Amino acid sequence: MASRMQVRPASPMTEVDHPIAVKSAQDVFEEAMRSYQRGDMAEAARLIGNVLTIDPAHSASILLLGLIAARGGRYDLAVELIGRATGLRPDHPEYHYEIAVAFHREGRPQWAITHYGRALALDPLCARAHNNLGRILHDQGQFDAAASHFGKALSIQPDCAEFHYNVGIALAAQNNIDEAVIHYHRAIALKPDYADAHHNLASALETAGKPDEALAHYQRALALHPGHAEAHNNSGNILKEHGRFKEALAHYDRSLAIQPGFAQAHYNRAEIRTFVPGDPDLAVLEALADDSKTPPVTALHVHFALAKALEDTGNFARSFEHLRIANGLKRDLVRYDEARIDDLFRDIARIFDRELLEGLHGAGDPSSVPVFILGMPRSGSSLIEQILASHPQIQGGGERTDLEAAAATVLSSNDKGVKYPACIPTLSNVTIRRLGAAYISRLPAQSADILRITDKLPGNFLHIGLIRAILPNARIIHTMRDPLDTCISCYSKLFSSGVNFSYDLGELGRYYRRYRELMNHWRSVLAPDAILDVSYEDVVDDLEGEARRMIDYCGLPWDDRCLSFHTSKRRVATASSVQVRKPLFGSSRQRWRRYQDGLDPLFAGLGISRPASAALAAAS
């Protein structure tokens, strides 16, 4: 909430202007101010009434009456009164500031922006105006402009915890996580009991891949503010990723006890529990789903949760209906340019031909540390990584963005000005090696016993040609699964980011078809041993045989711990964090048949008629 500025009394009138009345009005106003400051709004309003009887144009009194209305939540009246005061004193920055606050609270941000701007034009050093204007701009998604105003507020008052906190929010929105962490720490140093700063610091640390530090700050936020529903929910998420499901469930339950309509907590909780017919939580989710006032960004979490709950109970028709609603709501909120994706797939296949790849052979960094696990999302990559990471010489790296980050760092210095992938044929062998070295430099530090680190970002299948060029000794494991089961699994998940092709069945099917065509291209231009194909179904049928094949491909001796992958305590921060904690099971096979009556757009996108799944899998 914006803080209140001290209101200065209006300038006294001259003796020509009834000095006795003016003195009386000013005295009464000052008494009203004292009542306001000690929280006695009724007495302050009564005294202001006396002032305005004496001097109807006493602007400071009209302003104070507006502030009293705002204290009572009557922002429409506050806007009217403060507007009258501002009209009497248009050159006074504090009046513009206060009416901006009133407009902001009334839900009229554009008017608030106008008056914050006028306040700043009259007083550029009004730190609170910069701060509050930054908040509005941030809410509108104007992160650069918001960061500028937050920064100006901080430069005026460098020891204000709130300003450091808001700068941290702006930096996090710009994905400048390291700098955001610095400002959150500074806010906490200035105000140790700042629960929201501990919470946001935890969120930033989680994004930075420091879950243990993040959990500690979530817990500190809860110690300071036990009713912090978001901190309970986010603590549950980290505990879930570590396989501590009982503790996670307790945090989700607490979060919902505090905020029963907290849709994200309902969704996260649904992921780690099994619903049964007549489950009372079903009624709760159905009531939330039926609430027409729920905004789409919230409603979609409820519909995804309800779809999962109904599937647990065997009500597949209703489950699919809620999946359809949830995905439709999400699709409206994401940007997905299918034509641009088409162009990207075509450009990659055209540029990375056999001649180019043979010409670049051996040019890259010689490291044999990376093991890329890639393919379509929900095709078994988390399971494969969990099996591999159970080997004492393999470190699970999770879904890393190092490949694109390394490429961006090196290619930004390329003076040819040609974008990826068109730039690749123009690069020298020296630059190719620099790309590989840049990737290796970004991998996490490892002990001497670790010989391999996995990178399981599924979308790296787009960059197999680049990987082979810049890291010729890296291993590439391509995970495969029945195409229809893969697609319906994507369609049933709310991804934390990316995967924007998965929220429309037609787009999902067409994306899968492009992926399959690109994988066929890689097989046609690379050596047979360049990629190891691993089928999810084969792993389920013959865990040891497939695990031994993968470990052998990685150039390591066999270790029986790979067979007890589900007991590993390592963090799994993907949509499969629950499944990889369980022994292998085959119940997800042919899952698509539960929903086949609604899958015609998917069949069309894949370019098939309603198939026998086994035949389709063979075609992939």
Side-chain angles (χ1 to χ4, degrees):
M1 300 288 283
S3 64
R4 290 286 178 241
M5 298 183 67
Q6 181 68 31
V7 178
R8 290 196 293 268
S11 300
M13 303 171 72
T14 65
E15 290 186 358
V16 177
D17 298 315
H18 306 291
I20 297 175
V22 170
K23 180 180 179 182
S24 176
Q26 189 61 28
D27 288 344
V28 176
F29 170 76
E30 291 175 359
E31 187 178 347
M33 275 296 298
R34 289 191 290 272
S35 296
Y36 175 82
Q37 289 166 351
R38 65 174 178 263
D40 190 346
M41 299 299 110
E43 178 63 9
R46 185 188 70 79
L47 291 167
I48 288 298
N50 292 340
V51 174
L52 295 177
T53 299
I54 300 168
D55 180 3
H58 196 282
S59 60
S61 293
I62 298 171
L63 173 64
L64 185 58
L65 203 56
L67 298 182
I68 292 169
R71 280 276 190 98
R74 299 191 58 189
Y75 299 118
D76 53 345
L77 178 59
V79 165
E80 177 187 342
L81 291 166
I82 300 172
R84 281 173 54 194
T86 306
L88 292 167
R89 295 295 304 275
D91 59 342
H92 205 304
E94 292 179 7
Y95 287 34
H96 287 287
Y97 173 88
E98 292 296 351
I99 195 170
V101 171
F103 275 127
H104 191 175
R105 290 176 172 172
E106 196 189 11
R108 296 163 69 181
Q110 290 309 121
W111 282 100
I113 289 172
T114 296
H115 283 279
Y116 282 133
R118 290 176 183 172
L120 289 169
L122 293 164
D123 180 7
L125 298 181
C126 182
R128 288 289 171 181
H130 280 297
N131 181 67
N132 291 358
L133 180 53
R135 290 173 60 196
I136 295 177
L137 295 170
H138 183 273
D139 290 344
Q140 294 181 342
Q142 300 182 54
F143 300 128
D144 291 343
S148 174
H149 281 286
F150 288 144
K152 289 175 182 176
L154 188 60
S155 68
I156 297 165
Q157 289 181 232
D159 290 332
C160 178
E162 179 189 345
F163 296 167
H164 279 285
Y165 172 79
N166 285 340
V167 169
I169 290 174
L171 289 166
Q174 296 170 311
N175 205 33
N176 191 343
I177 302 302
D178 291 342
E179 290 295 318
V181 166
I182 291 171
H183 283 280
Y184 289 138
H185 273 301
R186 181 60 180 151
I188 291 167
L190 291 164
K191 185 180 177 183
D193 62 348
Y194 203 158
D196 284 344
H198 281 285
H199 175 271
N200 282 22
L201 173 59
S203 179
L205 290 168
E206 192 175 357
T207 302
K210 299 177 180 179
D212 293 336
E213 291 182 49
L215 185 58
H217 282 283
Y218 282 135
Q219 296 302 311
R220 180 59 181 152
L222 288 171
L224 292 166
H225 180 18
H228 202 304
E230 293 85 354
H232 278 292
N233 176 65
N234 294 339
S235 294
N237 290 342
I238 292 180
L239 292 165
K240 178 177 69 174
E241 291 167 0
H242 282 89
R244 295 161 62 180
F245 298 136
K246 185 176 180 180
E247 296 169 75
L249 193 61
H251 276 287
Y252 293 140
D253 287 345
R254 181 61 184 145
S255 179
L256 292 170
I258 297 164
Q259 190 175 325
F262 192 178
Q264 288 90 338
H266 278 292
Y267 174 79
N268 294 326
R269 183 173 180 266
E271 288 287 285
I272 60 172
R273 60 153 305 191
T274 301
F275 294 78
V276 296
D279 196 314
D281 285 336
L282 273 172
V284 173
L285 289 171
E286 287 173 334
L288 289 171
D290 288 341
D291 187 350
S292 61
K293 296 179 181 179
T294 305
V297 71
T298 300
L300 65 91
H301 287 86
V302 174
H303 286 286
F304 271 115
L306 184 53
K308 193 270 184 184
L310 290 167
E311 183 178 29
D312 284 351
T313 66
N315 195 334
F316 303 130
R318 290 192 61 219
S319 172
F320 188 77
E321 177 60 18
H322 285 284
L323 275 183
R324 187 189 62 76
I325 295 170
N327 280 280
L329 291 170
K330 180 64 175 179
R331 181 64 185 87
D332 289 341
L333 295 173
V334 301
R335 293 182 180 179
Y336 177 62
D337 186 340
E338 192 169 10
R340 186 183 65 81
I341 294 297
D342 279 347
D343 291 341
L344 177 62
F345 274 75
R346 279 194 294 267
D347 288 345
I348 288 173
R350 175 176 55 82
I351 290 165
F352 284 96
D353 58 14
R354 185 186 299 273
E355 181 180 358
L356 173 69
L357 291 168
E358 288 179 350
L360 294 174
H361 180 70
D365 187 281
S367 174
S368 59
V369 170
V371 178
F372 290 90
I373 304 170
L374 44 77
M376 278 289 289
R378 308 297 295 163
S379 62
S381 58
S382 293
L383 170 63
I384 299 308
E385 182 180 50
Q386 189 79 340
I387 292 170
L388 295 180
S390 298
H391 191 287
Q393 292 177 301
I394 301 178
Q395 179 175 324
E399 295 187 351
R400 310 191 64 80
T401 58
D402 295 326
L403 186 65
E404 291 191 5
T409 299
V410 174
L411 297 181
S412 64
S413 62
N414 176 34
D415 59 7
K416 300 182 186 303
V418 182
K419 294 182 178 181
Y420 179 84
C423 66
I424 297 300
T426 73
L427 302 181
S428 67
N429 284 2
V430 171
T431 302
I432 291 294
R433 181 166 290 219
R434 282 181 59 214
L435 280 164
Y439 175 86
I440 296 300
S441 71
R442 298 179 69 89
L443 292 177
Q446 68 266 14
S447 67
D449 295 335
I450 297 296
L451 300 181
R452 306 283 182 265
I453 298 177
T454 59
D455 181 336
K456 67 156 296 287
L457 191 67
N460 278 336
F461 75 82
L462 285 162
H463 308 307
I464 288 177
L466 178 65
I467 294 168
R468 276 281 153 254
I470 69 173
L471 295 163
N473 296 317
R475 273 70 172 179
I476 299 176
I477 297 177
H478 169 224
T479 61
M480 304 182 301
R481 183 184 180 188
D482 177 283
L484 286 171
D485 280 340
T486 299
C487 289
I488 198 63
S489 187
C490 286
Y491 194 66
S492 66
K493 286 292 180 182
L494 176 59
F495 294 93
S496 59
S497 62
V499 200
N500 289 344
F501 55 81
S502 73
Y503 301 112
D504 176 275
L505 286 172
E507 291 172 343
L508 176 56
R510 291 189 291 274
Y511 187 92
Y512 188 97
R513 187 163 34 158
R514 295 184 193 98
Y515 143 77
R516 185 170 56 198
E517 291 167 352
L518 186 58
M519 289 307 306
N520 288 337
H521 167 76
W522 295 131
R523 294 186 186 103
S524 73
V525 298
L526 293 170
D529 62 349
I531 304 170
L532 181 70
D533 290 328
V534 177
S535 161
Y536 169 81
E537 289 79 10
D538 287 346
V539 174
V540 172
D541 289 340
D542 181 15
L543 170 60
E544 182 170 350
E546 290 300 297
R548 285 182 177 273
R549 190 166 73 96
M550 290 187 286
I551 296 300
D552 183 63
Y553 174 71
C554 291
L556 299 175
W558 172 249
D559 192 287
D560 284 338
R561 280 170 281 192
C562 294
L563 301 180
S564 54
F565 64 89
H566 56 282
T567 64
S568 172
K569 300 302 182 183
R570 62 177 288 269
R571 180 192 184 210
V572 181
T574 73
S576 300
S577 60
V578 176
Q579 291 90 330
V580 298
R581 305 293 181 187
K582 302 176 181 178
L584 285 180
F585 54 90
S587 60
S588 61
R589 284 182 172 179
Q590 302 287 292
R591 181 186 176 200
W592 68 272
R593 292 190 181 278
R594 300 171 178 175
Y595 306 112
Q596 58 185 319
D597 291 342
L599 297 183
D600 286 342
L602 177 60
F603 299 149
L606 289 166
I608 59 173
S609 56
R610 187 167 298 192
S613 184
L616 181 60
S620 69

